Amino acid sequence: MIRKELCKIVSQDEIAQDIFELVVEAELVNEISEPGQFVHIRVSNSWDPSLRRPISISSYDKKSKKLTMIYRKEGKGTSLLAKMKPGMDLDILGPLGNGFPVDKVDAGETVLLVGGGIGVPPLHELSNQLKAKGVNVIHILGFQTESAVFYENEFMKNGETFVTTVDGTYGRKGFVTDVMKELTFDSIYTCGPTPMLRAIQQNYQDKKLFLSLEERMGCGVGACFACVCKKADDPQGVSYKKVCSDGPVFRAGEVVI
Ligand code: FES
């Protein structure tokens, strides 16, 4: 069930350049069903900016009711959010969308988690849950440059972790797909920019593959049509899927990307 709640900020830290980790106490953690769901945060009480901002859930703990989110400060809304301090109240709507299906892989399988930039956070809770289930998880985290790298140590706790940077200032120089070519695995879960998702979908049609789309959003609850994408079985037609409510996670080949 989707809830709207005023949540107390526990902490907020800049963990890489313009990347913020925000922890709140929230009853709505009890409603989260899958890793990869997201929330919509109201960043201001005024009408400017009036829309909520979609923010990734990176991990949660139903016992302590802690909800950890990670976002990039890149516009007016997220700049306002970055100024908020522990102890303040935050208006959060969620959990929204579907998540990564943890039940689609079995203990003993080797599963690749591939994240690009701000697509990395939703994979953290997924990694925790797959590891707890006995899945062998391997992570590939892609960033533009060293100052943008975050959560390498958190992922390393669960399994082998490769970091790539486009400019080669940290980890392997190049793209996540370069590392993928060298590895053996059964299934893939991925989240990141569309060109990265498209390349992975094209190159690994023989694998079980789930993709989380980063899409411009408005309402977050299926009402405004800001996030529609075409269904793969009807690319010229009139039927479509909404990323916010039918996704953001889709099976490979389900929608046109
Ligand atoms: Fe409004 Fe998806 S964001 S319908």
Side-chain angles (χ1 to χ4, degrees):
M1 192 180 75
I2 299 171
R3 294 178 62 136
K4 183 174 153 332
E5 185 180 343
L6 266 190
C7 307
K8 192 72 74 190
I9 297 178
V10 175
S11 64
Q12 165 136 265
D13 297 293
E14 188 170 8
I15 56 173
Q17 190 171 358
D18 290 333
I19 302 292
F20 287 77
E21 180 193 68
L22 173 64
V23 182
V24 300
E25 254 176 42
E27 294 292 331
L28 62 83
V29 293
N30 289 324
E31 309 296 337
I32 299 173
S33 55
E34 289 175 323
Q37 291 181 283
F38 65 101
V39 293
H40 238 192
I41 297 185
R42 186 165 184 177
V43 293
S44 156
N45 285 330
S46 75
W47 289 105
D48 179 27
S50 59
L51 293 180
R52 291 173 178 270
R53 292 294 178 271
I55 304 287
S56 293
I57 297 171
S58 69
S59 62
Y60 54 89
D61 178 7
K62 293 194 176 185
K63 252 193 201 153
S64 65
K65 306 224 185 313
K66 295 266 173 36
L67 179 68
T68 302
M69 296 155 285
I70 293 180
Y71 64 94
R72 178 161 50 212
K73 185 178 84 169
E74 58 186 344
K76 200 167 180 178
T78 45
S79 296
L80 284 170
L81 185 58
K83 290 196 178 110
M84 300 190 81
K85 303 278 182 233
M88 293 172 84
D89 287 332
L90 203 54
D91 180 337
I92 299 182
L93 182 73
L96 301 175
N98 68 5
F100 291 107
V102 176
D103 60 348
K104 297 290 188 227
V105 296
D106 298 318
E109 271 191 56
T110 297
V111 175
L112 206 54
L113 307 191
V114 185
I118 205 61
V120 167
L123 301 178
H124 186 222
E125 178 67 31
L126 175 65
S127 173
N128 293 344
Q129 292 193 18
L130 291 175
K131 167 85 175 168
K133 187 177 171 170
V135 172
N136 175 32
V137 279
I138 303 175
H139 317 96
I140 310 175
L141 315 176
F143 301 95
Q144 285 295 321
T145 189
E146 182 177 18
S147 62
V149 176
F150 62 92
Y151 264 38
E152 181 184 13
N153 290 337
E154 281 77 359
F155 281 96
M156 278 168 62
K157 286 176 194 156
N158 290 342
E160 198 172 6
T161 301
F162 300 87
V163 173
T164 66
T165 50
V166 175
D167 63 5
T169 48
Y170 190 85
R172 292 267 301 267
K173 185 177 192 313
F175 297 97
V176 292
T177 42
D178 300 330
V179 180
M180 289 178 79
K181 289 178 195 149
E182 301 166 11
L183 300 174
T184 306
F185 49 88
D186 303 303
S187 310
I188 310 167
Y189 293 90
T190 182
C191 182
T194 304
M196 183 192 97
L197 301 182
R198 199 177 288 133
I200 293 173
Q201 180 166 269
Q202 274 167 5
N203 294 339
Y204 295 94
Q205 293 182 5
D206 57 327
K207 300 287 183 195
K208 208 186 314 171
L209 167 60
F210 296 93
L211 315 105
S212 180
L213 270 52
E214 291 180 343
E215 201 61 42
R216 171 174 280 275
M217 288 197 198
C219 68
V221 292
C224 76
F225 293 71
C227 66
V228 293
C229 57
K230 288 180 175 155
K231 286 168 68 176
D233 60 3
D234 184 21
Q236 307 304 329
V238 290
S239 55
Y240 52 81
K241 295 263 184 186
K242 293 173 186 168
V243 175
C244 70
S245 52
D246 298 317
V249 177
F250 294 97
R251 278 181 291 106
E254 196 176 348
V255 292
V256 176
I257 57 173

